[in-house]
Structure formats: C-alpha cells, structure tokens
Amino acid sequence: MADALEFLPILLQGCWTTVVVALCALTLSTVLGFAWALLRLSPSPWLRRPTIGFITVIRGIPIIVQLFYIYFVFPDIGITLSAFQAGFIGLGLAYSAYQAENFRAGIEAVDPGQIEAAQSLGMGYGRIMRRVILPQAIRTALPPYGNTMIMLLKDSSIASTITVSELTREGQLIASSTFKNMTVFTLVALLYLTMSLPLTYLTHRLEKRYGRK
Amino acid sequence: MITVRHLSKAFGAHRVLDDVSLEIRRGEVVCIIGASGSGKSTFLRCINGLESYDLGELIVDGYVVRKENRDIHAHRGQVGMVFQRFNLFPHRTSLENVMEGPIYVNGVPRATARAEAVALLTKVGLGDKLDAYPASLSGGQQQRVAIARSLAMKPKVMLFDEPTSALDPELVGDVLKVMQQLAKDGMTMVVVTHEMGFAREVADRVLFLDDGRILEQGPPEEVLRTPKHERTRDFLQRVIHAL
C-alpha cells in the first residue's frame, strides 16, 4: 500500500501523457479519416485509388511497426521527430485508416433517395454533404467512433516502445527498478480502466441513442 | 414549356427510351402510364437532369437539359420532383424540410422562408404538423410535406414519380386532392402514375409508354376508354383487374 502511494504520482504523470497522446492522435485520425472517407467515395479514380491503396497499406502493418518506422527510419530521410510527436502521428495515421472506414460506412448508409431529393432541390455537392448526408451519417458513425476512442486510448500504450513516457512506460520503468511487478502493473491496469470507463459509458449512451432507428 | 425531340437512352443493350418526342405546354397536366420498366421514371428523371440520355434533345423553358451541365443545379431548383418514397430529410421537421431549399439554395431570408413554408404546409392540410419529424407522420402526410417542399422552390414544372404507389390505399386520396388543386392552380405537371381515376379526371393528356416508346397519347377519355393499340388495352385491363 505504501508502495502504491509512492508510485502513484509518477504513474499519474504517465496517465496525463497517455491522455495527451491519445487526444492528439484522436484529433489527427478524425481529420485525416474524414478526408480519406471523402476521397474514397469520390467519383474520380485518381483520388479514389491512391486513397484505397493508402488505407490498405496502413491497415496491413502493425501499429508498433509503423511507430518504429516513423521514429527510427524517418530520421534517415531527413524527418526527425521527438518520441511524443512520432507517437501521436504514428497512432493518428494508423487510426485514420480505421476512422476512414467508419466514416465511409456512415456516409454510405445514407439512403440514396436523400441525395436525389437534395439534388432535385438544386443543391450542389458541398451543400448536400453538409446539410443532408453528414448529419445523417454521423448518427451511424458515432457508436463505432466511441469504440475507436477506447481502442485508441489502450493502443496509446504502444507509444511506450518508442520511449514516450506515458503510463505503460512509466510503469515499466518503476517495475524494472523496484521489482514490485504486482503492485505496479495492477495500478497501471486500474488506471487504464479508470480512463476508459467514462468512454465506455459514453459509447453505450451513443449506441442507445443512435444505434437503432 | 417542355420540348423533347428524339430522346433515346440505353442501359447496355436495353433501350430504356427509344426516340421519344413530345411537347408539353405551360399549365398542361400530362399523365404517363405504362408497365414497370417501360421507361416512365427514366423519362421523368431526364427532365430534371437526374438521369442522362444518349441521343436527342430535351429543352425546358429554353434551357437545354443535360445531366453533365455545370449549371444543372440551377435547373433542378426550378423543377420540382416528388418521389415515390417521399425522401424527406429525416433529421428535420416538416417546416425545416420545406424551408431547406428556399434558404440554402435560393438565399431567401429565414423569416420569409418560414412564412411561406407555413402557408404551403397549411395549404396541403398539415398546418398542425409544422414541428413534426417525418418518422412521426403517415405516408400520406409525408408525401404532402414533400410536395410542399418542392413547391417552396416556386418551380416552373412539377414532376411526380408514382407519388401514391408507396401509400396505404386510404391515404392516397389526400395526396391526389393536393395534386388536383395544384393542377387547377395552373401548374405544369408531369405525373407518372397508376391512378387511372386521377389520370381521367385531372390529366389534359395521357401518354402510354411501352418499351421506351410513346405507343399512344391523347385526351384521357380516348386513351383510357378507347385505346387504339392492343398493348394499351392489355395494360389497362391488367391495371383495372389489379384494382
């Protein structure tokens, strides 16, 4: 117990980094994922095909390898990033592929009749997107988005492998110097759980509200 | 108002529209009848540029309609279209559905758009459903909101694509009544329908479309009572037996 109290401040600091990494990655993945989704649904094959290729590549490589690549290989081609930057950019890119599929599913679930109705009112592409498709697509995309947030929070622990001092990394450091594995990793597990519970609750609410029509 | 010359369209080897020529005057009500797959809907959708055509010419009020035109949006805004499945925006109330086009396409001030929308919804008998969402309305009510939504754009022409086919029989009357009133007010209307009663009473002209061709056309009495062609007779018999 005394150990736990001693470790907690350091672990809480790790929690803070975890939250910041996860939030940065979430923002990046949301913006990019949305862009990929729009490009993937574009009528032009010049926009569509490269996007599909990119998504396929990203989804086919383990996130940990992507992080290694960005952190250890990019400096060789002149792009040097801090561990924190490499961590959230890597996670953000990796997750943008999942987000893209999620948003695409939401957009494609909108009844084509909606688009025809909007067209017959004289609306153009941008306005149809903003006023008709997106408000409806969001309802479909929100519940899976909640799940993605939880997964991203947990996967941010992968950033520990490239020395980002987030929760898992701090835990490992304390454990390897004190050998109090049980105390440390129980605390780490409980802290992740504590952070994910509000998200689980949120997702549950979203599913209830939008899941079934 | 609408001039169609030698309009043809094919999906692969199948000719959906085959050399259709036709002139529709301002204020005329034309009903198009025919079996499913005869090209009725495709023809209607060509008029507001939702569908492209391969050959021929289609002119609405001096504008040559082509789906590929850069300014096709402006044309669509002037041609109202009512769909079989209503296609109301489910995330907006009746009032918002009707205000959507005027505000976001025509740039009408919100207050003006609102006043006009209220007037239109009252006219179609839904003055008490202004704030209702589509999901809480019956099919007949939804279709009347959809008609009001199209009328709010002050269209030159109204197109109806089987507007009552998805409705329970007891709800059909209310929708037809609104359409009949619209015809009386002098609206130019092209109506694809299976409602022979409506065609007989309201149409100035009935077209019978068969395999993408206008097989027969004329005043409703003539086409519906004394059709010249065997296929028209067959079709009418089947429709009347189905009722």
Side-chain angles (χ1 to χ4, degrees):
Chain A
M1 197 60 203
D3 289 340
L5 283 176
E6 192 193 332
F7 302 153
L8 203 55
I10 307 170
L11 291 178
L12 282 174
Q13 225 161 27
C15 279
W16 173 244
T17 309
T18 289
V19 169
V20 176
V21 169
L23 271 180
C24 289
L26 182 70
T27 310
L28 183 66
S29 69
T30 303
V31 173
L32 288 179
F34 184 59
W36 306 148
L38 290 185
L39 289 172
R40 192 159 169 1
L41 292 169
S42 154
S44 156
W46 295 101
L47 296 175
R48 203 174 56 232
R49 293 218 184 102
T51 313
I52 294 174
F54 177 80
I55 293 173
T56 309
V57 168
I58 293 276
R59 290 215 299 180
I61 301 172
I63 296 177
I64 190 167
V65 177
Q66 292 182 43
L67 290 191
F68 284 167
Y69 211 87
I70 291 173
Y71 191 54
F72 298 119
V73 181
F74 273 23
D76 292 349
I77 54 168
I79 304 171
T80 308
L81 298 167
S82 72
F84 174 80
Q85 288 168 336
F88 92 76
I89 291 173
L91 282 165
L93 275 175
Y95 265 76
S96 73
Y98 305 122
Q99 300 273 35
E101 293 302 274
N102 178 14
F103 293 143
R104 180 175 69 97
I107 290 172
E108 282 186 331
V110 176
D111 174 8
Q114 291 288 309
I115 299 166
E116 293 198 334
Q119 283 178 327
S120 74
L121 286 178
M123 292 189 182
Y125 174 81
R127 189 155 285 133
I128 293 177
M129 263 296 159
R130 279 199 307 279
R131 299 288 307 168
V132 178
I133 298 180
L134 292 183
Q136 297 183 60
I138 283 171
R139 287 160 192 250
T140 318
L142 263 184
Y145 188 80
N147 271 320
T148 307
M149 287 198 293
I150 298 170
M151 278 164 52
L152 180 52
L153 177 76
K154 293 184 295 178
D155 278 352
S156 69
S157 61
I158 300 171
S160 66
T161 57
I162 56 166
T163 74
V164 177
S165 46
E166 44 66 77
L167 180 54
T168 304
R169 169 96 176 150
E170 295 292 4
Q172 278 176 324
L173 290 176
I174 299 172
S176 63
S177 61
T178 63
F179 302 107
K180 308 269 188 192
N181 285 310
M182 165 98 129
T183 315
V184 171
F185 288 117
T186 306
L187 276 174
V188 168
L190 285 174
L191 285 169
Y192 273 114
L193 188 61
T194 311
M195 289 189 286
S196 69
L197 278 179
L199 294 178
T200 310
Y201 176 71
L202 181 73
T203 307
H204 185 68
R205 288 285 303 270
L206 291 174
E207 269 168 1
K208 264 201 147 160
R209 183 145 173 220
Y210 297 120
R212 264 163 275 132
K213 283 202 176 155
Chain B
M1 177 59 97
I2 304 177
T3 305
V4 183
R5 291 193 199 107
H6 308 296
L7 198 71
S8 291
K9 178 183 177 68
F11 287 125
H14 176 57
R15 305 203 95 182
V16 195
L17 293 174
D18 193 358
D19 198 21
V20 173
S21 292
L22 169 74
E23 187 82 35
I24 297 173
R25 297 184 314 276
R26 196 177 296 271
E28 195 178 8
V29 176
V30 174
C31 281
I32 305 179
I33 60 171
S36 65
S38 59
K40 299 168 300 192
S41 287
T42 307
F43 176 64
L44 207 62
R45 293 158 56 86
C46 282
I47 299 178
N48 74 345
L50 277 182
E51 196 85 62
S52 61
Y53 52 89
D54 303 330
L55 294 171
E57 196 173 34
L58 202 164
I59 303 167
V60 177
D61 199 24
Y63 177 82
V64 181
V65 183
R66 279 207 154 270
K67 188 189 177 191
E68 298 78 13
N69 288 351
R70 286 196 144 269
D71 58 352
I72 190 71
H73 305 307
H75 168 68
R76 287 187 187 135
Q78 295 167 4
V79 176
M81 176 122 180
V82 173
F83 300 87
Q84 183 177 351
R85 303 237 33 116
F86 333 131
N87 295 348
L88 288 180
F89 305 132
H91 54 301
R92 305 197 192 285
T93 62
S94 310
L95 197 58
E96 289 166 345
N97 263 283
V98 180
M99 290 162 65
E100 185 73 19
I103 292 178
Y104 292 95
V105 178
N106 289 350
V108 174
R110 185 164 275 273
T112 316
R114 192 189 153 85
E116 285 175 359
V118 171
L120 278 169
L121 283 167
T122 309
K123 191 178 163 193
V124 298
L126 294 171
D128 55 339
K129 298 285 185 190
L130 300 179
D131 297 318
Y133 283 91
S136 68
L137 298 174
S138 74
Q141 292 170 330
Q142 288 190 51
Q143 194 59 300
R144 282 181 282 153
V145 175
I147 293 174
R149 177 174 68 174
S150 287
L151 290 175
M153 295 296 289
K154 303 197 166 68
K156 298 170 183 166
V157 181
M158 283 286 284
L159 310 174
F160 293 84
D161 191 1
E162 302 198 27
T164 56
S165 297
L167 298 178
D168 289 336
E170 76 271 20
L171 302 175
V172 169
D174 288 335
V175 172
L176 292 182
K177 225 181 289 165
V178 168
M179 291 168 62
Q180 189 160 15
Q181 184 57 47
L182 205 55
K184 253 189 219 148
D185 295 345
M187 176 63 77
T188 310
M189 292 163 64
V190 186
V191 185
V192 169
T193 187
H194 293 299
E195 295 290 335
M196 297 305 154
F198 176 82
R200 191 173 301 133
E201 269 183 58
V202 183
D204 297 306
R205 184 162 32 140
V206 173
L207 302 184
F208 176 68
L209 224 61
D210 185 61
D211 271 340
R213 289 173 166 275
I214 300 177
L215 199 60
E216 193 158 350
Q217 63 172 309
E221 283 301 314
E222 210 175 287
V223 177
L224 300 176
R225 282 266 161 79
T226 53
K228 291 188 206 69
H229 284 266
E230 183 71 36
R231 293 188 68 102
T232 318
R233 272 198 292 276
D234 276 358
F235 172 75
L236 287 171
Q237 283 234 311
R238 266 180 289 134
V239 174
I240 287 158
H241 276 299
L243 294 174

